[in-house]
Amino acid sequence: MHILPLITDSSALANLCARLSQADFVAVDTEFMRESTYWPELCLIQVADENEAAAIDPLAPGIDLQPLLDLLVDNEEVLKVFHAGGQDIEIIYNLTGKTPHPLFDTQIAAMALGQGEQIGYSNLVDSWLGIPIDKGARFTDWARRPLEARQVDYAIGDVTHLARIFPKMLARLKKTGRGAWLDQEMERIADPANYANDPDLAWKRVRIAGRKPEVLGRLKALARWREAEARGKNLPRGRIVKDETLADLASHPPKKQGDLAKVRGLSATWAGNDIGGRLMAAIADAKPMTDAELPPRDDRKPGLGKDGALVADLLKLLLKIRSRDIDVASRLLARSEELEALAAGQRQGLSILEGWRYDQFGHDALDLVEGRLAFAVKGGKLKMTRTEA
C-alpha cells in the first residue's frame, strides 16, 4: 500500500478524494482533543483504500476539507469503514450536520463473528493480522504542531490495518451468512439523531435521586442552561458545573443569587456575577416536568411486575445460552429492554420478533414466555427442551 506524505494543502486533498471516490470502500479514523473543550477539536483525519493511505491535517492554514467531507457524507457509492466509530462519526456530524453513509463498523461486525461485545482495535488487528500495535503515540497531544513522523505513521497505521481487515471480515461474514445481521445495527449508528445533542434532553445524563416533577423540571432547566454556557464558552460541561452540583441545585434551589456563595462546587463570585444571574434565571423559569417526560419508577418497562421480572431474568439466561451456542455477542441478538418488554406481554415493534433475530433467538424466547420451552441440564450443561410438539 502506498503511503502519502502528510496532506496539508487543498489541492493534494482534492486529488486524493477524487481517487478515493472511485474506491469500493474507504477506511476512516480521526485524532482529536476534547479534554478542555465542549466541541471535540479535530486534529488529524486518516483515510485509506486498498491501494493508498494518507493523513490529512485539518489544522493546516487554508486547507479546504470540503472534498473530504463530501466524500464521507454525500458519496453513497463508497462504503465508509470505521472501528468503534461513534466519536469519529460525531465529529463528522458536528462539521456537516450529516453522518457518513453507508458505513461499516468493524467492532459491531466482530460481535457477529464471536469476538466479544466490544473488541478493542489492538486486539482486532492482532486477531486478524497477527500484528502487535505499538501504543507509544496513543497519548499524543494531537493539536501540537509540527507533528513528528512517528506520530503520523502511528495514526496512518489505524487505517492501513483497517483497510486490510475489512475485506477479510467481509468474506467471513459472507461465508457464515451473517452479513445481513449487521444491516440494522449499521443503520442505527448512522442515524443522525444519535449525534444531535438536544439541550432539552441533557438532564438525562445527570444522576439524581427521586422523581418529583418540580425537582426534575429544575434539573431539565439547569442542564439546558449548562449546555448553553458550555457551548458558548467551548468548555466541557463539568468545567461549568459538575453533575452532582447540578443535581443538588435542582433538589435544593437557592432562594436568591447571594445564596450561590454557599453552594458546594460553585465559585463564591457567582453570588454577584452574570453567570450566577443566568443560573438563577434558569431556576426561576423552570416548570415541573410533565407526566409524559417523567422517567419510569425503575429501570424496567412499565407493567412488568414481579412475575414479569422473573420471566425477564429467564429470557436473559436463554440469551446467554443462545449467544454461546451460535458464537455471537448477546448484545447483537437482543437488548435488556426488549426482553423486559416481551416478558411484560408486548408482541409488536420488537426487533427480536423480526427477521434474523427471530430465527436465531426470538422464536425460542417467545416459546419460553408462552410455556413451550423449558430449561434442562444435560451432560452437565444447561440446555433448552421443548415441552410440546
PDB file of all heavy atoms in Angstrom, residues 320-333:
ATOM      1  N   LYS A 320     -28.066 -15.809  27.034  1.00  0.00           N
ATOM      2  CA  LYS A 320     -26.675 -16.246  27.254  1.00  0.00           C
ATOM      3  C   LYS A 320     -26.425 -17.600  26.616  1.00  0.00           C
ATOM      4  O   LYS A 320     -25.386 -17.829  25.975  1.00  0.00           O
ATOM      5  CB  LYS A 320     -26.383 -16.305  28.754  1.00  0.00           C
ATOM      6  CG  LYS A 320     -26.265 -14.963  29.425  1.00  0.00           C
ATOM      7  CD  LYS A 320     -25.912 -15.111  30.903  1.00  0.00           C
ATOM      8  CE  LYS A 320     -25.789 -13.750  31.579  1.00  0.00           C
ATOM      9  NZ  LYS A 320     -25.454 -13.878  33.021  1.00  0.00           N
ATOM     10  N   ILE A 321     -27.375 -18.510  26.787  1.00  0.00           N
ATOM     11  CA  ILE A 321     -27.213 -19.847  26.215  1.00  0.00           C
ATOM     12  C   ILE A 321     -27.182 -19.781  24.694  1.00  0.00           C
ATOM     13  O   ILE A 321     -26.323 -20.384  24.040  1.00  0.00           O
ATOM     14  CB  ILE A 321     -28.365 -20.767  26.682  1.00  0.00           C
ATOM     15  CG1 ILE A 321     -28.272 -21.000  28.197  1.00  0.00           C
ATOM     16  CG2 ILE A 321     -28.337 -22.098  25.941  1.00  0.00           C
ATOM     17  CD1 ILE A 321     -29.492 -21.717  28.772  1.00  0.00           C
ATOM     18  N   ARG A 322     -28.119 -19.038  24.126  1.00  0.00           N
ATOM     19  CA  ARG A 322     -28.208 -18.976  22.669  1.00  0.00           C
ATOM     20  C   ARG A 322     -27.001 -18.277  22.053  1.00  0.00           C
ATOM     21  O   ARG A 322     -26.471 -18.732  21.029  1.00  0.00           O
ATOM     22  CB  ARG A 322     -29.499 -18.235  22.279  1.00  0.00           C
ATOM     23  CG  ARG A 322     -29.805 -18.295  20.803  1.00  0.00           C
ATOM     24  CD  ARG A 322     -30.013 -19.714  20.356  1.00  0.00           C
ATOM     25  NE  ARG A 322     -30.291 -19.798  18.920  1.00  0.00           N
ATOM     26  CZ  ARG A 322     -29.873 -20.782  18.143  1.00  0.00           C
ATOM     27  NH1 ARG A 322     -29.163 -21.780  18.650  1.00  0.00           N
ATOM     28  NH2 ARG A 322     -30.174 -20.785  16.856  1.00  0.00           N
ATOM     29  N   SER A 323     -26.550 -17.194  22.664  1.00  0.00           N
ATOM     30  CA  SER A 323     -25.392 -16.487  22.116  1.00  0.00           C
ATOM     31  C   SER A 323     -24.134 -17.352  22.208  1.00  0.00           C
ATOM     32  O   SER A 323     -23.283 -17.304  21.321  1.00  0.00           O
ATOM     33  CB  SER A 323     -25.194 -15.150  22.837  1.00  0.00           C
ATOM     34  OG  SER A 323     -24.980 -15.344  24.217  1.00  0.00           O
ATOM     35  N   ARG A 324     -24.049 -18.172  23.261  1.00  0.00           N
ATOM     36  CA  ARG A 324     -22.920 -19.110  23.368  1.00  0.00           C
ATOM     37  C   ARG A 324     -22.996 -20.171  22.280  1.00  0.00           C
ATOM     38  O   ARG A 324     -21.992 -20.508  21.636  1.00  0.00           O
ATOM     39  CB  ARG A 324     -22.949 -19.770  24.745  1.00  0.00           C
ATOM     40  CG  ARG A 324     -21.855 -20.803  24.978  1.00  0.00           C
ATOM     41  CD  ARG A 324     -22.220 -21.711  26.143  1.00  0.00           C
ATOM     42  NE  ARG A 324     -23.381 -22.538  25.825  1.00  0.00           N
ATOM     43  CZ  ARG A 324     -24.068 -23.253  26.729  1.00  0.00           C
ATOM     44  NH1 ARG A 324     -23.733 -23.194  28.010  1.00  0.00           N
ATOM     45  NH2 ARG A 324     -25.096 -23.995  26.345  1.00  0.00           N
ATOM     46  N   ASP A 325     -24.202 -20.691  22.049  1.00  0.00           N
ATOM     47  CA  ASP A 325     -24.355 -21.781  21.083  1.00  0.00           C
ATOM     48  C   ASP A 325     -24.022 -21.357  19.660  1.00  0.00           C
ATOM     49  O   ASP A 325     -23.458 -22.142  18.888  1.00  0.00           O
ATOM     50  CB  ASP A 325     -25.787 -22.329  21.127  1.00  0.00           C
ATOM     51  CG  ASP A 325     -26.076 -23.106  22.412  1.00  0.00           C
ATOM     52  OD1 ASP A 325     -25.113 -23.430  23.131  1.00  0.00           O
ATOM     53  OD2 ASP A 325     -27.264 -23.367  22.682  1.00  0.00           O
ATOM     54  N   ILE A 326     -24.392 -20.127  19.283  1.00  0.00           N
ATOM     55  CA  ILE A 326     -24.145 -19.697  17.900  1.00  0.00           C
ATOM     56  C   ILE A 326     -22.916 -18.792  17.796  1.00  0.00           C
ATOM     57  O   ILE A 326     -22.608 -18.292  16.718  1.00  0.00           O
ATOM     58  CB  ILE A 326     -25.378 -18.998  17.295  1.00  0.00           C
ATOM     59  CG1 ILE A 326     -25.706 -17.697  18.023  1.00  0.00           C
ATOM     60  CG2 ILE A 326     -26.569 -19.933  17.306  1.00  0.00           C
ATOM     61  CD1 ILE A 326     -26.827 -16.905  17.360  1.00  0.00           C
ATOM     62  N   ASP A 327     -22.223 -18.573  18.925  1.00  0.00           N
ATOM     63  CA  ASP A 327     -20.984 -17.795  18.950  1.00  0.00           C
ATOM     64  C   ASP A 327     -21.185 -16.385  18.400  1.00  0.00           C
ATOM     65  O   ASP A 327     -20.578 -15.974  17.408  1.00  0.00           O
ATOM     66  CB  ASP A 327     -19.885 -18.510  18.160  1.00  0.00           C
ATOM     67  CG  ASP A 327     -18.499 -17.917  18.451  1.00  0.00           C
ATOM     68  OD1 ASP A 327     -18.322 -17.301  19.524  1.00  0.00           O
ATOM     69  OD2 ASP A 327     -17.603 -18.060  17.594  1.00  0.00           O
ATOM     70  N   VAL A 328     -22.059 -15.644  19.082  1.00  0.00           N
ATOM     71  CA  VAL A 328     -22.312 -14.258  18.704  1.00  0.00           C
ATOM     72  C   VAL A 328     -22.485 -13.463  19.987  1.00  0.00           C
ATOM     73  O   VAL A 328     -22.927 -14.003  21.013  1.00  0.00           O
ATOM     74  CB  VAL A 328     -23.576 -14.150  17.811  1.00  0.00           C
ATOM     75  CG1 VAL A 328     -24.820 -14.558  18.566  1.00  0.00           C
ATOM     76  CG2 VAL A 328     -23.743 -12.748  17.256  1.00  0.00           C
ATOM     77  N   ALA A 329     -22.102 -12.206  19.972  1.00  0.00           N
ATOM     78  CA  ALA A 329     -22.267 -11.361  21.148  1.00  0.00           C
ATOM     79  C   ALA A 329     -23.745 -11.211  21.482  1.00  0.00           C
ATOM     80  O   ALA A 329     -24.564 -10.918  20.602  1.00  0.00           O
ATOM     81  CB  ALA A 329     -21.637  -9.989  20.914  1.00  0.00           C
ATOM     82  N   SER A 330     -24.091 -11.397  22.751  1.00  0.00           N
ATOM     83  CA  SER A 330     -25.503 -11.365  23.142  1.00  0.00           C
ATOM     84  C   SER A 330     -26.139 -10.008  22.867  1.00  0.00           C
ATOM     85  O   SER A 330     -27.328  -9.924  22.556  1.00  0.00           O
ATOM     86  CB  SER A 330     -25.648 -11.736  24.620  1.00  0.00           C
ATOM     87  OG  SER A 330     -24.925 -10.842  25.446  1.00  0.00           O
ATOM     88  N   ARG A 331     -25.360  -8.933  22.968  1.00  0.00           N
ATOM     89  CA  ARG A 331     -25.914  -7.595  22.755  1.00  0.00           C
ATOM     90  C   ARG A 331     -26.364  -7.396  21.308  1.00  0.00           C
ATOM     91  O   ARG A 331     -27.217  -6.556  21.023  1.00  0.00           O
ATOM     92  CB  ARG A 331     -24.882  -6.533  23.141  1.00  0.00           C
ATOM     93  CG  ARG A 331     -25.430  -5.112  23.212  1.00  0.00           C
ATOM     94  CD  ARG A 331     -24.498  -4.221  24.033  1.00  0.00           C
ATOM     95  NE  ARG A 331     -23.216  -4.063  23.387  1.00  0.00           N
ATOM     96  CZ  ARG A 331     -22.935  -3.077  22.548  1.00  0.00           C
ATOM     97  NH1 ARG A 331     -23.856  -2.188  22.242  1.00  0.00           N
ATOM     98  NH2 ARG A 331     -21.738  -2.973  22.018  1.00  0.00           N
ATOM     99  N   LEU A 332     -25.793  -8.157  20.386  1.00  0.00           N
ATOM    100  CA  LEU A 332     -26.228  -8.061  18.995  1.00  0.00           C
ATOM    101  C   LEU A 332     -27.564  -8.781  18.794  1.00  0.00           C
ATOM    102  O   LEU A 332     -28.391  -8.370  17.975  1.00  0.00           O
ATOM    103  CB  LEU A 332     -25.173  -8.652  18.059  1.00  0.00           C
ATOM    104  CG  LEU A 332     -25.397  -8.462  16.561  1.00  0.00           C
ATOM    105  CD1 LEU A 332     -25.377  -6.986  16.191  1.00  0.00           C
ATOM    106  CD2 LEU A 332     -24.344  -9.213  15.750  1.00  0.00           C
ATOM    107  N   LEU A 333     -27.779  -9.827  19.555  1.00  0.00           N
ATOM    108  CA  LEU A 333     -29.022 -10.582  19.450  1.00  0.00           C
ATOM    109  C   LEU A 333     -30.201  -9.826  20.051  1.00  0.00           C
ATOM    110  O   LEU A 333     -31.270  -9.734  19.452  1.00  0.00           O
ATOM    111  CB  LEU A 333     -28.878 -11.930  20.163  1.00  0.00           C
ATOM    112  CG  LEU A 333     -28.354 -13.120  19.369  1.00  0.00           C
ATOM    113  CD1 LEU A 333     -28.262 -14.336  20.282  1.00  0.00           C
ATOM    114  CD2 LEU A 333     -29.233 -13.421  18.178  1.00  0.00           C
TER     115      LEU A 333
END
